[in-house]
């Protein structure tokens, strides 16, 4: 009987074993069958082999500075720039594996142990999703279904895709793809954008605790948001650090010490209107749109045949140096903030009832405001909405909450309540500026500042704006005279009233320009001192000798494209020019007479590194080496004894006089500097063009309207409005030795036949015109 019982027990156990294996094999076959069905598309469409090989990911195009820094990106919704695995720090990879998939390097896309654990314990002891599965979800599951049945189908598809991804890519490539694909919020698409936005770094610069923050966000970036949920994010970061210690990527002591640290977020949100070189980036956008329109994409079958700046991940290599660009922007902000404060002081309602306008009556002011209203975004958008003109006009006189520009605020913005019409007048009260800096030998533009703040003032005064040049145009007249008449900087001309009669050089009436003070000394000036002190009568004599046509021919050869009338008055800068063309033209003086067209883009590559465009320099021999050196010598006189002297002076008397007017004074430069100030009628425009042997920089400052200007010459001259920006910028540049900005002499040609040593010249006056009186009366 005992034997029978024992036999029955043995048979029952054998039956259990048999059914276990049957069920196990059926389960395996069932899973295999489900996977097979999924791969056939029975559970929904599956990605093709081609899609797996080339996942359709939108990539932002990136503009890159000459020193290898990202200036900005062009994107619509995805601010994503891919990073190769080799550029990821090991601490980031370790944090990812330790937290998300500890057996990542030992499975083939699906973690069987993790899946079984999750199935048995219903996910209470951790999930089973591998990095490969998470990548498949990011790439091919648009949204997790709310239906449990549909979600199971999606999960099965993700398993299948994960296995196929593992066959298609290396483990390292999958990690890079996953980190490049994830959305970290705040336009931080992918690990590179996230590192930049949250820590101001490239990924390979991340410290372990910073990598832990970003890996912690992978669980749910909306929940674990380091900006809005700091405490929750710190807990999540510490969990990641604990996992790294658990799997021996760091020691327990390291884990504890890192968990004790504060979470140091350096938030740098990226947008098209903020960041470095905003005006230049918008110019670049136009450049790229033009290039794309002329260069079709060699597309494969089924793909679009045009490049997309916002989706194709183009890499645009520019000539801008990020360090010089920052120096330029800092110099502009430092000076313009101070200059604007003085402008507001001089334009209070008591001092100027028509502020910010001067010398205009109510009708003229109303005309300006009417034009501004009708060209505003508000007017345009309301017209598109079908609003009547009466409704639109009424809206401009209703108070509304708005955020406006404000120099006094750290963010340069303030919230206020005013009518849209008042906001138009408010914005017109701000002085505008433009600055461009170029290497004359190559034409490479190193810095570009089109205004005081792109977010609020989007008009680019570097290349869009054109204003009267004032005395900065005079060097072209002198160049024509030295070139054609073989004059020397040491030749003498009298400071007496000079008239060009009617009918000569296209003059309809006699032209008799005055000096800025309305006086004539009767003494003789060398050309060098005449230019340094902006003696209008001498310039008038020179253009009469060479003729306006010769001057126009030279400036056209130097890259100026606008219409220039062939009349004598152009000698005093009556024509409108922009900073871009002025810097290019002055570059020829520093480059031994060779004009090099300014260059902003050197190369364009696609996302795979294939070169699509490389620039070809455009050059033209315009002046001889001797004439160019003579011109440089002439303009050195401006900073040695003319309107630019304050770049060098450093005595206590000057400091007392200038420090309240000139931002950053004293500058104390001792190296050779060639330059020219310019101030137009009524102080509407202030210019300074400054050169050292390997850098030419132009600065303009003025109001949006010519009627917006300082009342007197003290603040309104180019030497007070524009020159300080150049001085601050160059001081900052010289502090960065790696930039290699020259502090040496300009290159002198061998066998120089034009005399530039004026020390022995007799008859030149000693009592120079006050360099502070640098106002050029245009004589019109």
């Amino acid at each position: 009987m005992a034997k029978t019982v024992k036999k029955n027990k043995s048979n029952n156990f054998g039956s259990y074993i048999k059914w276990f294996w049957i069920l196990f094999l059926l389960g395996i076959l069932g899973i295999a069958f489900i996977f097979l069905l999924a791969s056939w598309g029975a559970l929904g469409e599956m990605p093709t082999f081609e899609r797996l090989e080339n996942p359709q990911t939108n990539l932002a195009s990136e503009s890159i500075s000459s020193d290898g820094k990202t200036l900005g990106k062009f994107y619509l919704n995805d601010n994503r720039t891919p990073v190769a695995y080799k550029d990821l720090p090991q601490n980031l990879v370790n944090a990812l594996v330790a937290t998300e998939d500890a057996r990542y390097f030992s499975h083939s896309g699906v973690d069987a142990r993790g899946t079984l654990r999750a199935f048995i314990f219903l996910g209470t002891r951790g999930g089973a999703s591998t990095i490969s599965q998470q990548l498949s979800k990011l790439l091919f599951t648009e949204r997790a279904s709310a239906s449990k049945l549909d979600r199971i189908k999606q999960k099965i598809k993700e398993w299948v895709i994960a296995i196929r991804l593992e066959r298609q890519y290396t483990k390292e490539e999958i990690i890079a793809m996953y980190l490049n694909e994830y959305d970290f919020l705040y336009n931080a698409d992918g690990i590179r954008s996230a590192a930049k936005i949250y820590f101001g770094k490239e990924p390979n610069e991340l410290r372990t605790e910073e990598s832990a923050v970003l890996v912690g966000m992978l669980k749910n970036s909306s929940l674990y948001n380091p900006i809005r949920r700091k405490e929750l994010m710190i807990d999540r970061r510490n969990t990641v650090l604990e996992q790294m210690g658990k799997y021996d990527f760091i020691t327990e002591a390291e884990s504890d010490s890192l968990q004790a640290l504060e979470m140091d977020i350096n938030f740098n949100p990226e947008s098209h209107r903020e960041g470095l070189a905003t005006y230049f980036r918008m110019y670049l956008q136009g450049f790229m749109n033009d290039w794309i329109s002329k260069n079709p994409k060699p597309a494969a079958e089924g793909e679009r045949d045009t490049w997309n700046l916002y989706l194709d991940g183009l890499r645009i290599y520019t000539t801008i140096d990020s360090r010089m660009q920052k120096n330029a922007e800092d110099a502009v902000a430092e000076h313009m903030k101070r200059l604007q404060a003085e402008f507001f002081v001089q334009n209070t309602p008591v001092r100027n009832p028509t502020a910010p306008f001067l010398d205009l009556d109510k009708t003229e002011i109303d005309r300006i405001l009417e034009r501004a209203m009708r060209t505003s975004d508000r007017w345009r958008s309301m017209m598109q909405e079908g609003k009547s003109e009466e409704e639109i006009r009424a809206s401009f006189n209703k108070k509304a909450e708005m955020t406006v520009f404000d120099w006094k605020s750290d963010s340069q913005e303030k919230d206020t309540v005013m009518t849209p019409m008042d906001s138009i007048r408010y914005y017109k009260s701000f002085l505008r500026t433009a600055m461009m800096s170029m290497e004359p030998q190559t034409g490479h533009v190193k810095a570009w500042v089109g205004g005081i703040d792109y977010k609020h003032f989007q008009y680019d005064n570097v290349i869009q704006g054109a204003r009267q040049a004032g005395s900065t145009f005079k060097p072209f007249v002198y160049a024509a005279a030295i070139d054609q008449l073989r004059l020397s900087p040491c030749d003498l001309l009298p400071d007496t009233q000079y008239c060009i009669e009617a009918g000569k050089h296209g003059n309809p009436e006699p032209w008799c320009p005055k000096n800025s003070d309305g006086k004539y000394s009767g003494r003789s000036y060398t050309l060098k001192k005449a230019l340094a002190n902006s003696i209008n009568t001498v310039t008038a004599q020179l253009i009469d000798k060479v003729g306006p046509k010769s001057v126009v021919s030279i400036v056209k050869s130097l890259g100026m494209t606008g219409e220039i009338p062939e009349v004598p008055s152009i000698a005093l800068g009556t024509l409108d020019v922009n900073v871009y063309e002025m810097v290019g033209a002055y570059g020829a003086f520093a480059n031994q007479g060779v004009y090099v067209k300014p260059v902003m883009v050197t190369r364009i590559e696609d996302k795979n590194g294939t070169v699509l465009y490389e620039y070809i320099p455009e050059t033209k021999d315009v002046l001889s080496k001797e004439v160019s050196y003579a011109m440089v010598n002439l303009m050195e006189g401006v900073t040695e004894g003319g309107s630019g002297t304050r770049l060098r002076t450093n005595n206590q008397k000057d400091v007392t006089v200038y420090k309240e007017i000139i931002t950053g004074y004293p500058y104390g430069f001792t190296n050779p500097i060639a330059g020219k100030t310019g101030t137009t009628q009524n102080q509407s425009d202030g210019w300074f063009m400054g050169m050292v042997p390997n850098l030419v920089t132009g600065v303009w400052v003025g109001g949006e309207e010519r009627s917006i200007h300082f009342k007197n010459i003290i603040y309104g001259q180019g030497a007070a409005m524009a020159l300080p920006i150049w001085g601050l910028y160059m001081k900052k540049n010289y502090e960065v030795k790696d930039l290699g900005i020259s502090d040496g002499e300009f290159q002198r040609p061998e066998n120089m036949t034009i005399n530039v040593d004026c020390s022995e010249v007799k008859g030149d006056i000693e009592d120079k015109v006050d360099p502070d009186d640098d106002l050029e009366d245009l004589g019109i």
Side-chain angles (χ1 to χ4, degrees):
M1 184 69 181
K3 287 183 178 180
T4 302
V5 172
K6 188 175 182 179
K7 186 176 181 179
N8 286 339
K9 286 183 177 180
S10 178
N11 288 339
N12 288 340
F13 181 74
S15 178
Y16 293 148
I17 295 296
K18 178 182 177 181
W19 279 105
F20 171 78
W21 283 110
I22 289 172
L23 292 173
F24 179 77
L25 290 172
L26 285 175
I28 295 296
L29 290 173
I31 292 172
F33 184 65
I34 290 173
F35 271 61
L36 191 61
L37 287 175
S39 65
W40 288 343
L43 301 182
E45 184 183 0
M46 293 289 285
T48 63
F49 173 82
E50 289 75 18
R51 277 193 70 196
L52 285 175
E53 192 173 39
N54 295 290
Q56 294 299 309
T57 299
N58 295 334
L59 300 178
S61 292
E62 181 180 15
S63 57
I64 303 166
S65 69
S66 61
D67 56 320
K69 303 296 183 182
T70 298
L71 293 176
K73 298 176 186 176
F74 299 104
Y75 59 91
L76 294 177
N77 299 312
D78 297 333
N79 178 21
R80 181 178 291 104
T81 306
V83 179
Y85 180 84
K86 64 181 178 61
D87 296 320
L88 297 174
Q90 191 60 46
N91 62 52
L92 178 66
V93 175
N94 293 343
L96 174 64
V97 172
T99 309
E100 297 294 326
D101 193 352
R103 288 178 290 277
Y104 175 70
F105 287 101
S106 61
H107 64 65
S108 299
V110 177
D111 182 4
R113 284 175 56 187
T115 301
L116 185 61
R117 182 194 65 226
F119 180 76
I120 293 173
F121 295 101
L122 301 177
T124 58
R125 295 192 181 181
S129 184
T130 66
I131 293 172
S132 303
Q133 287 174 252
Q134 292 178 49
L135 175 60
S136 70
K137 180 182 178 182
L138 286 177
L139 291 175
F140 303 110
T141 302
E142 290 186 7
R143 182 179 299 175
S145 175
S147 165
K148 289 185 177 180
L149 180 60
D150 288 341
R151 184 61 193 129
I152 291 172
K153 290 180 182 179
Q154 288 178 338
K155 201 72 177 176
I156 293 170
K157 288 170 63 177
E158 289 165 13
W159 287 347
V160 174
I161 295 169
I163 294 171
R164 291 171 65 182
L165 285 171
E166 292 264 354
R167 293 175 180 174
Q168 192 74 28
Y169 298 98
T170 67
K171 290 284 188 179
E172 291 77 13
E173 288 172 332
I174 288 173
I175 284 178
M177 290 171 68
Y178 177 53
L179 291 173
N180 284 326
E181 187 65 24
Y182 194 81
D183 180 0
F184 291 88
L185 301 182
Y186 302 108
N187 287 327
D189 298 300
I191 192 64
R192 189 174 184 207
S193 293
K196 195 82 171 178
I197 288 173
Y198 290 110
F199 299 106
K201 298 180 176 182
E202 290 294 327
N204 59 13
E205 299 171 330
L206 291 171
R207 299 194 300 268
T208 300
E209 66 274 19
E210 294 168 339
S211 291
V213 171
L214 298 180
V215 168
M217 293 180 71
L218 295 172
K219 186 173 184 179
N220 184 335
S221 57
S222 296
L223 178 62
Y224 298 105
N225 182 328
I227 305 303
R228 293 188 174 182
R229 296 186 173 96
K230 186 175 180 179
E231 295 303 320
L232 192 62
M233 186 68 248
I234 289 175
D235 290 342
R236 179 61 186 163
R237 178 202 67 175
N238 291 346
T239 298
V240 174
L241 293 170
E242 286 176 4
Q243 289 294 103
M244 293 181 74
K246 176 182 176 180
Y247 290 102
D248 297 326
F249 289 116
I250 56 177
T251 66
E252 186 176 341
E254 287 175 323
S255 177
D256 291 341
S257 64
L258 291 174
Q259 289 180 55
L261 295 175
E262 290 290 326
M263 185 173 66
D264 187 16
I265 297 295
N266 178 18
F267 192 49
N268 298 279
E270 291 185 353
S271 75
H272 301 306
R273 294 188 176 190
E274 296 173 309
L276 194 67
T278 45
Y279 287 95
F280 174 76
R281 281 155 43 201
M282 289 305 103
Y283 161 79
L284 192 60
Q285 183 181 49
F287 174 93
M288 289 303 300
N289 288 336
D290 181 63
W291 179 84
I292 287 170
S293 70
K294 298 174 182 176
N295 294 271
K297 180 181 181 182
E301 185 176 352
E303 293 184 2
R304 62 179 182 274
D305 60 359
T306 56
W307 293 104
N308 190 309
L309 181 63
Y310 309 99
L311 304 177
D312 285 339
L314 300 175
R315 293 172 65 82
I316 309 154
Y317 292 87
T318 75
T319 59
I320 297 293
D321 185 292
S322 67
R323 298 160 297 180
M324 296 174 72
Q325 179 68 30
K326 186 176 188 308
N327 289 344
E329 293 183 11
D330 288 349
V332 164
E334 187 175 343
H335 175 62
M336 293 303 294
K337 180 178 181 178
R338 187 172 175 182
L339 190 69
Q340 187 67 49
E342 178 60 31
F343 188 76
F344 281 146
V345 167
Q346 295 187 22
N347 282 276
T348 60
V350 173
R351 293 187 176 189
N352 180 16
T354 60
F357 309 99
L358 277 173
D359 309 319
L360 294 183
D361 58 31
K362 185 178 183 304
T363 301
E364 292 171 311
I365 293 172
D366 288 345
R367 190 180 301 121
I368 290 173
L369 296 177
E370 170 77 10
R371 184 176 67 246
M373 178 178 67
R374 297 182 71 92
T375 57
S376 68
D377 290 338
R378 171 183 286 268
W379 184 284
R380 191 181 305 111
S381 63
M382 292 186 73
M383 286 289 287
Q384 291 173 350
E385 292 170 6
K387 303 290 185 182
S388 68
E389 183 170 325
E390 184 180 357
E391 289 176 301
I392 297 173
R393 287 185 178 278
S395 75
F396 273 84
N397 292 301
K398 292 180 181 177
K399 288 190 174 183
E401 294 181 354
M402 60 182 71
T403 301
V404 297
F405 180 77
D406 180 28
W407 274 121
K408 295 178 182 179
S409 169
D410 290 340
S411 65
Q412 295 186 358
E413 287 184 330
K414 70 175 180 181
D415 295 327
T416 188
V417 176
M418 64 173 70
T419 69
M421 183 58 76
D422 286 340
S423 74
I424 289 175
R425 196 165 190 142
Y426 174 77
Y427 273 100
K428 282 191 177 293
S429 68
F430 284 93
L431 298 172
R432 314 300 169 87
T433 188
M435 175 185 183
M436 190 177 108
S437 194
M438 184 190 79
E439 190 177 77
Q441 290 75 25
T442 62
H444 288 191
V445 174
K446 311 309 291 183
W448 177 305
V449 185
I452 56 175
D453 183 274
Y454 182 79
K455 187 175 181 180
H456 292 275
F457 304 91
Q458 293 174 26
Y459 190 78
D460 187 348
N461 291 288
V462 167
I463 199 165
Q464 290 179 303
R467 297 292 287 261
Q468 287 186 335
S471 279
T472 56
F473 190 82
K474 288 179 180 177
F476 304 120
V477 179
Y478 280 69
I482 293 174
D483 182 45
Q484 296 182 25
L485 306 177
R486 305 305 294 173
L487 296 180
S488 153
C490 306
D491 285 337
L492 296 165
L493 285 176
D495 173 25
T496 56
Q497 186 175 23
Y498 192 87
C499 291
I500 299 177
E501 63 269 24
K504 189 177 184 182
H505 304 311
N507 251 1
E509 298 178 357
W511 184 62
C512 307
K514 300 177 181 179
N515 287 326
S516 59
D517 59 1
K519 300 175 183 178
Y520 310 99
S521 67
R523 301 291 189 89
S524 292
Y525 279 87
T526 62
L527 296 190
K528 188 170 185 176
K529 285 189 176 177
L531 182 65
N533 295 290
S534 288
I535 306 301
N536 292 340
T537 56
V538 171
T539 309
Q541 294 173 63
L542 292 177
I543 199 166
D544 189 22
K545 292 176 184 293
V546 298
K549 187 172 183 178
S550 298
V551 177
V552 171
S553 176
I554 284 179
V555 296
K556 288 287 187 181
S557 297
L558 292 174
M560 292 196 183
T561 57
E563 185 174 342
I564 305 174
E566 295 178 359
V567 294
S569 62
I570 62 171
L572 303 186
T574 56
L575 74 162
D576 288 349
V577 295
N578 62 41
V579 172
Y580 170 84
E581 290 186 350
M582 284 291 280
V583 171
Y586 267 68
F589 297 136
N591 192 34
Q592 299 187 312
V594 180
Y595 168 75
V596 183
K597 186 177 180 179
V599 177
M600 283 69 73
V601 177
T602 57
R603 189 170 79 256
I604 302 171
E605 295 178 357
D606 68 10
K607 63 182 179 182
N608 300 314
T610 303
V611 176
L612 307 175
Y613 164 85
E614 281 189 293
Y615 91 104
I616 299 173
E618 295 182 41
T619 65
K620 186 176 184 179
D621 291 341
V622 180
L623 301 170
S624 70
K625 292 181 180 180
E626 282 194 294
V627 172
S628 300
Y629 184 77
M631 286 305 306
V632 167
N633 180 268
L634 275 169
M635 287 187 282
E636 283 183 288
V638 174
T639 67
E640 292 168 353
S643 53
T645 307
R646 61 193 65 185
L647 289 170
R648 301 188 180 283
T649 54
N650 197 16
N651 61 62
Q652 190 57 47
K653 176 185 175 183
D654 291 331
V655 170
T656 303
V657 173
Y658 290 149
K659 69 178 182 180
E660 297 300 323
I661 304 172
I662 310 301
T663 310
Y665 187 87
Y667 307 107
F669 293 117
T670 58
N671 56 295
I673 299 170
K676 187 70 191 82
T677 58
T679 313
T680 61
Q681 191 88 28
N682 298 324
Q683 301 84 247
S684 292
D685 307 277
W687 289 81
F688 184 71
M689 304 297 298
M691 301 186 292
V692 295
N694 64 351
L695 195 66
V696 178
T697 304
V699 183
W700 167 86
V701 175
E704 182 182 11
E705 309 287 339
R706 296 185 194 276
S707 56
I708 300 171
H709 56 80
F710 281 102
K711 186 175 293 187
N712 58 54
I713 193 66
I714 296 175
Y715 285 94
Q717 61 181 296
M721 287 209 293
L723 179 143
I725 293 176
W726 191 93
L728 291 166
Y729 169 65
M730 292 302 291
K731 280 184 72 173
K732 295 174 190 293
N733 283 343
Y734 281 126
E735 289 170 1
V736 185
K737 300 300 181 184
D738 290 346
L739 292 176
I741 306 300
S742 173
D743 59 0
E745 300 281 346
F746 289 88
Q747 185 176 351
R748 181 184 176 114
E750 296 180 4
N751 304 316
M752 183 79 179
T753 61
I754 299 176
N755 179 32
V756 294
D757 181 7
C758 306
S759 59
E760 301 300 322
V761 176
K762 295 181 179 181
D764 197 9
I765 65 169
E766 297 299 327
D767 49 329
K768 297 185 289 293
V769 172
D770 184 353
D772 294 334
D773 290 336
D774 182 39
L775 173 64
E776 286 76 35
D777 188 323
L778 299 180
I780 54 174

